[in-house]
Amino acid sequence: MYYPRGYRSPAFTRADFLYQILSKYGIKYDSSVFPIKTPLYDGTSYDCSPFIIDQGIVEIPAAF
């Protein structure tokens, strides 16, 4: 049986507790970050390169 290994939250939203939950269920990568500033996003500008976030999950920005 195959299980999802990645996650992208709706509307590119994120929360600090999210990574603990993703790790608990075996998610290896997250693609919930979009590296631009918009009024609808969290206002943070990110590099487009993948990086490791909490719980050892790899963040792969959606624009990568």
Side-chain angles (χ1 to χ4, degrees):
M1 180 168 268
Y2 295 99
Y3 297 98
R5 294 291 176 207
Y7 176 79
R8 188 190 69 78
S9 63
F12 300 102
T13 57
R14 56 183 291 241
D16 293 333
F17 67 88
L18 175 66
Y19 305 115
Q20 293 175 328
I21 295 169
L22 295 178
S23 179
K24 177 180 176 181
Y25 289 102
I27 299 297
K28 302 296 181 192
Y29 71 90
D30 177 57
S31 191
S32 298
V33 169
F34 199 77
I36 61 170
K37 291 182 182 181
T38 73
L40 299 175
Y41 194 51
D42 70 358
T44 306
S45 180
Y46 294 93
D47 184 6
C48 287
S49 302
F51 55 94
I52 296 177
I53 54 177
D54 291 340
Q55 307 295 321
I57 296 172
V58 176
E59 181 66 53
I60 304 172
F64 182 67

